[in-house]
């Protein structure tokens, strides 16, 4: 509920994520991506309601109580790079002390030079400068705070790393370095869920792409096919790519609907050039796309 209005922030989301894989969840701000991340970790506000299941191994994250989430999930089964690092960093403690505590808690290294070295190694993995380790969060730029949060998330080598807009505030070189490090986290027993609006970052490291619009996943595709040929099949997903500077650089017209007032039919119909009367009913998700008129032709080649 928000101001007495029921907001359907995420509906009908269905996907799997295997070890060794990166799934990029993309879409405009406000479509429900971060709400989905918060639901997986039990970080929704108290008035939120969830239904369904989300299994990490044999544990249903949506059904787990707070004690289980705090002791066995957060940082251990699921590591989080938060969208707003300032809200997750302790303001009265230095970055070094927070890294040391996290290393001690998650790795079993208790004291001495190994503990200090492990904390500094975690900082280096996230490109956090050693000269800033003894600073407090309020002394950091937004980009440095983001890198500190990334370093903390990498410490436990959790089977699932959930990165929610991990490149916010970073220049392009650091974006590439950060996502490359996140990609290196993936292994035989580890996976990455990258939540981002940065399609270039998604293209760089994702194996599959899930496109979210107005609370729903509207397309799920192999990344090579999505960014190359034949391209996205949902008109909204095509619009996202067409808006990129190295493609058409054409914005999607209009605005997405409010999540508290979603239409009964296709939520994208009001912005879609291909909408027909059929779009007054909600399309089912079938063959990787939720659209009555999915594209079948390849995208135009990017401009030179």
């Amino acid at each position: 509920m928000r101001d007495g209005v029921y907001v359907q922030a995420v509906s009908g989301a269905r996907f799997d994520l295997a070890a060794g894989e990166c799934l990029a969840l993309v879409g405009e701000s406000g479509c429900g991506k971060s709400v989905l991340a918060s639901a997986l970790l039990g970080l929704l506000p108290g008035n939120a309601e969830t239904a369904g299941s989300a299994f990490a191994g044999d544990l249903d994250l949506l059904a787990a109580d707070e004690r289980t989430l705090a002791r066995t999930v957060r940082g251990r089964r699921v590591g989080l790079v938060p969208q707003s690092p300032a809200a997750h960093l302790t303001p009265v403690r230095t970055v070094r002390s927070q890294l040391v505590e996290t290393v001690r808690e998650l790795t079993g290294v208790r004291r001495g030079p190994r503990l200090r070295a492990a904390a500094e190694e975690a900082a280096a993995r996230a490109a956090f400068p050693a000269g800033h380790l003894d600073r407090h969060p309020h002394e950091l730029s937004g980009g440095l705070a983001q890198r500190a949060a990334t370093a903390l998330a990498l410490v436990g080598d959790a089977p699932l790393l959930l990165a929610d807009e991990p490149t916010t505030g970073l220049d392009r070189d650091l974006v590439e370095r950060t996502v490359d490090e996140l990609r290196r986290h993936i292994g035989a027993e580890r996976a990455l869920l990258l939540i981002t609006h940065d399609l270039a970052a998604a293209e760089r490291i994702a194996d599959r792409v899930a496109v979210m619009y107005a609370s729903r996943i509207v397309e799920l595709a192999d990344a090579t096919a999505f960014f190359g040929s034949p391209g996205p099949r949902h008109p909204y997903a095509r619009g996202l790519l067409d808006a990129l500077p190295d493609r058409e650089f054409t914005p999607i017209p209009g605005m997405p609907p409010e999540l508290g007032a979603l239409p009964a039919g296709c939520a994208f119909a009001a912005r879609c050039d291909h909408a027909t009367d059929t779009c007054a009913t909600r399309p089912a998700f079938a063959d990787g796309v939720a659209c009555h008129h999915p594209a079948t032709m390849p995208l135009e080649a990017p401009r030179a």
Side-chain angles (χ1 to χ4, degrees):
M1 296 287 289
R2 180 191 297 166
D3 298 328
V5 177
Y6 181 77
V7 176
Q8 194 170 2
V10 179
S11 59
R14 182 186 297 271
F15 61 87
D16 58 4
L17 180 56
E21 183 181 29
C22 172
L23 174 66
L25 181 61
V26 303
E28 292 171 290
S29 296
C31 68
K33 303 187 305 295
S34 294
V35 173
L36 177 58
S38 296
L40 295 177
L41 286 168
L43 298 176
L44 292 173
N47 63 346
E49 299 178 7
T50 60
S53 58
F55 282 94
D58 58 354
L59 177 65
D60 185 353
L61 299 178
L62 297 186
D65 57 36
E66 174 58 28
R67 180 184 179 90
T68 300
L69 291 168
R71 294 195 172 192
T72 67
V73 174
R74 298 179 192 133
R76 291 177 172 83
R77 292 197 185 200
V78 184
L80 173 66
V81 181
Q83 182 179 24
S84 302
H88 289 257
L89 297 172
T90 304
V92 296
R93 300 181 61 188
T94 65
V95 174
R96 185 190 303 276
S97 69
Q98 294 181 62
L99 279 169
V100 165
E101 179 185 22
T102 303
V103 170
R104 183 187 294 118
E105 181 70 21
L106 297 182
T107 70
V109 179
R110 296 299 179 187
R111 59 175 62 87
R114 286 182 59 209
L115 180 59
R116 183 181 180 91
E120 292 176 354
E121 179 184 354
R125 289 175 66 186
F128 187 88
H132 291 67
L133 279 169
D134 294 313
R135 295 189 177 185
H136 292 81
H138 72 272
E139 298 176 291
L140 305 177
S141 66
L144 282 176
Q146 187 68 60
R147 281 184 271 169
T150 301
L152 289 165
L154 291 171
V155 167
D157 283 327
L160 172 61
L161 185 62
L162 201 166
D164 187 5
E165 302 287 3
T167 59
T168 300
L170 305 182
D171 61 35
R172 182 48 53 182
D173 286 344
L174 277 174
V175 166
E176 294 179 355
R177 183 170 175 179
T178 297
V179 296
D180 286 350
E181 182 56 55
L182 294 175
R183 178 74 207 191
R184 279 191 287 273
H185 170 84
I186 300 172
E189 299 180 355
R190 297 191 298 271
L192 170 64
L193 177 58
L194 173 66
I195 295 175
T196 185
H197 63 267
D198 187 337
L199 291 176
E203 182 176 12
R204 188 175 180 88
I205 68 167
D207 298 297
R208 288 188 298 149
V209 178
V211 181
M212 198 166 192
Y213 182 77
S215 86
R216 299 188 73 201
I217 292 177
V218 296
E219 184 162 358
L220 184 60
D222 175 82
T224 301
F226 183 88
F227 290 108
S229 180
R233 300 182 63 208
H234 195 283
Y236 171 67
R238 289 201 164 207
L240 288 179
L241 288 191
D242 285 344
L244 294 177
D246 61 343
R247 297 193 184 244
E248 296 297 322
F249 205 32
T250 304
I252 302 173
M255 296 292 291
E258 293 290 334
L259 296 183
L262 293 175
C266 173
F268 188 63
R271 307 173 72 185
C272 183
D273 292 337
H274 306 288
T276 66
D277 291 345
T278 306
C279 302
T281 60
R282 176 175 289 190
F285 190 92
D287 193 26
V289 64
C291 181
H292 290 298
H293 310 292
T296 57
M297 297 297 291
L299 286 167
E300 287 186 356
R303 291 178 175 176

